[in-house]
Amino acid sequence: MSTDTADWPTARLCSFIAELDFEQIPPRVVHFAKGLMIDWLGSALAGKGAHQVEIIDGFARAMGPADGPSTVIPTRRRTSPYFAAMVNAAASHIVEQDDVHNGSVFHPAAVIFPAVLAVAEAEGKTGRDVLTACIAGYEVGIRVGEFLGRSHYEIFHTTGTAGAVAAAAAVGRLIGLDAAGLNHALGSAGTQAAGLWEFLRDAADSKQLHTARAAANGLFSAYLARDGFKGAAQILEGKKGMASGMSSDADPARLTDGLGSRWATEETSFKWHAACRHTHPAADALQLLMRREGLGPDDIADVVTHVHQGAIDVLGAVVIPQTVHQAKFSMGTVLGLIAVHGVADLDAFEHQALADTRVARFRAKVRMEFDAEIDRLYPKQWVGKVSVMTIDGRRLDTRVDEPKGDPGNTLAKQELEAKAIRLAEFRGGATADEMRACIARIWRLGQPGSTAHIFAES
């Protein structure tokens, strides 16, 4: 590795963030980022009332100020940027509808938007400032996730680890850190990065803790750097950095892949089904097959989902789900909802995932099998391949190369907005009219006079 510190991958990332200008970002990427924000806002509102969010918000009420410049989105109460970011990030990841980037297996929105908007409200930033910072966070976080590689994801929840670095990059850009300051911010964020998959085995609440801490720690790190707090210069690729302790296949070249020419932000996928993304390709494939063949759930004797190893690692821990959230990590439950009810949306999970005996019967018919081709394509491409044996002895196969919501099969503007409104209404986080007003404000971000206040113009 070069001894010139400017050539270090982390330093090059930080220079890119510091020099990023709104006018340099292609308009299509800016437009896509607005869509990602609309999608995220729906998810954050859908987290209202969830017990994980209530507990974290209770901590924020006890430890943080009772008033402040930043909005706690599910309740609209005000507090400091730090605690608003923490609660909003927890809320964003509850219903499993927030976005995902395939190649990094990272959920950027849940950690980036909460941190940036909380700070932007406090510091009076413009819509352009917000969009630039969020895109910077996406570009950095996605590359960090790709850099950490598949081995990292076997043990670590990338949204908790890469997410802390992404939030630090985004907030650091928003508050005007130079390249050296950003390097310090990333160093402090990286040393706090955490998030382990063990919670899946017993339906623990850690997944929301991961996003809450990633957003809060990223924000914390950026503010520390602004005041002169030093972080490790090579926290990502250094001999005792993140990759050394968290990965066996890290590739530093991925940290700077196509900076300024490849816009990873627009590679991000929207989640259509309200479940773990690893279930989506198979859900789409089964839905396609049943429609094509005119099958009902009772016509099917056996279902094999051909999957990559990552799906087995994440979903294999859930055999018989005990909670709604755990059901979202059960391949059999997700496919049971698709087969019996035709959808795996929020209402289906809330009312049928655990209570419907037909879903349970179908779940018992489903098994996952490792597929070498699909594993080779993953994580850049998430392929759905399903084999069905019918009651009358026929074997039927189908394949989906781009699940609904992927960049090549993305949501239309009307679908995106309708999804966000459904999410907002799910637990009364916002009315349809309130959400339409927020959506209109987000589409106007970047225009003269636009601000970070998405619930009000002032």
Side-chain angles (χ1 to χ4, degrees):
M1 184 177 290
S2 170
T3 56
D4 183 353
T5 59
D7 286 340
W8 292 347
T10 300
R12 290 175 60 194
L13 264 183
C14 293
S15 294
F16 169 76
I17 305 164
E19 295 165 10
L20 183 63
D21 183 81
F22 182 81
E23 301 296 338
Q24 298 173 341
I25 304 170
R28 71 177 192 279
V29 178
V30 173
H31 181 80
F32 196 84
K34 294 176 185 178
L36 293 170
M37 186 183 292
I38 290 167
D39 189 67
W40 159 77
L41 180 60
S43 284
L45 288 164
K48 181 179 181 179
H51 83 273
Q52 300 95 328
V53 179
E54 293 285 285
I55 292 170
I56 291 173
D57 190 33
F59 172 81
R61 288 174 186 271
M63 298 294 177
D67 195 11
S70 303
T71 305
V72 176
I73 285 172
T75 61
R76 274 18 141 250
R77 77 177 184 90
R78 314 284 286 192
T79 187
S80 69
Y82 179 83
F83 285 104
M86 181 188 298
V87 178
N88 291 338
S92 304
H93 210 44
I94 286 285
V95 297
E96 295 293 331
Q97 288 271 259
D98 51 313
D99 64 21
V100 63
H101 180 269
N102 286 349
S104 58
V105 203
F106 168 47
H107 300 277
V111 294
I112 293 168
F113 289 121
V116 168
L117 285 173
V119 172
E121 285 185 309
E123 305 222 354
K125 298 297 183 178
T126 68
R128 287 190 172 201
D129 295 332
V130 167
L131 289 167
T132 304
C134 290
I135 290 168
Y138 269 74
E139 296 300 315
V140 169
I142 288 167
R143 285 173 171 82
V144 171
E146 291 174 334
F147 154 71
L148 291 170
R150 289 183 61 167
S151 65
H152 177 78
Y153 189 75
E154 291 175 15
I155 304 296
F156 293 95
H157 183 200
T158 307
T159 304
T161 55
V165 180
V171 174
R173 177 64 182 80
L174 185 69
I175 63 177
L177 297 184
D178 61 13
L182 285 160
N183 210 150
H184 291 310
L186 266 59
S188 291
T191 204
Q192 299 176 84
L196 297 164
W197 282 118
E198 182 62 23
F199 74 89
L200 280 175
R201 296 182 184 275
D202 49 11
D205 295 326
S206 306
K207 202 164 193 272
Q208 286 68 54
L209 181 64
H210 296 171
T211 52
R213 295 308 306 161
N217 285 343
L219 185 159
F220 178 43
S221 300
Y223 273 80
L224 288 178
R226 185 167 72 174
D227 290 339
F229 196 91
K230 294 181 180 179
Q234 287 186 283
I235 195 65
L236 300 173
E237 74 276 27
K239 290 182 179 180
K240 293 185 182 293
M242 288 178 70
S244 179
M246 296 178 163
S247 175
S248 61
D249 63 342
D251 179 1
R254 293 174 179 162
L255 289 171
T256 55
D257 174 38
L259 279 176
S261 57
R262 170 206 173 197
W263 294 95
T265 303
E266 63 181 343
E267 300 168 2
T268 307
S269 298
F270 299 97
K271 289 177 70 175
W272 188 243
H273 309 295
C276 174
R277 179 64 172 177
H278 291 292
T279 67
H280 289 212
D284 282 5
L286 180 65
Q287 193 168 54
L288 175 65
L289 186 148
M290 292 182 70
R291 288 174 177 172
R292 185 187 73 201
E293 302 294 334
L295 297 176
D298 294 334
D299 298 320
I300 296 173
D302 183 71
V303 181
V304 175
T305 64
H306 306 273
V307 297
H308 52 270
Q309 185 61 44
I312 295 171
D313 292 341
V314 172
L315 305 176
V318 182
V319 179
I320 300 177
Q322 302 300 311
T323 67
V324 169
H325 192 258
Q326 201 179 33
K328 296 179 180 219
F329 290 80
S330 162
M331 180 70 85
T333 302
V334 174
L335 267 57
L337 289 171
I338 290 290
V340 175
H341 297 284
V343 294
D345 61 11
L346 293 179
D347 286 333
F349 273 102
E350 198 77 5
H351 302 296
Q352 282 97 29
L354 300 178
D356 192 330
T357 57
R358 295 171 299 169
V359 172
R361 285 198 302 270
F362 197 91
R363 182 181 67 221
K365 302 176 185 180
V366 177
R367 67 183 189 276
M368 293 185 289
E369 286 188 1
F370 175 81
D371 186 291
E373 180 205 8
I374 291 173
D375 190 67
R376 186 171 64 252
L377 294 170
Y378 171 83
K380 187 174 182 180
Q381 186 177 1
W382 295 41
V383 173
K385 196 161 92 174
V386 168
S387 298
V388 165
M389 186 66 68
T390 64
I391 295 294
D392 58 9
R394 291 176 294 152
R395 172 174 166 146
L396 304 170
D397 300 284
T398 195
R399 174 178 174 135
V400 170
D401 285 313
E402 288 187 288
K404 187 173 180 65
D406 266 11
N409 187 19
T410 195
L411 303 187
K413 182 174 182 285
Q414 295 84 352
E415 290 178 313
L416 172 66
E417 292 183 357
K419 175 192 168 186
I421 291 169
R422 287 196 305 272
L423 289 168
E425 291 184 304
F426 176 59
R427 288 199 178 105
T431 67
D433 285 344
E434 287 174 326
M435 192 60 180
R436 289 188 189 98
C438 291
I439 289 170
R441 292 188 188 102
I442 292 171
W443 285 128
R444 291 196 297 269
L445 280 180
Q447 295 179 7
S450 63
T451 73
H453 297 278
I454 56 179
F455 283 102
E457 293 289 8
S458 59

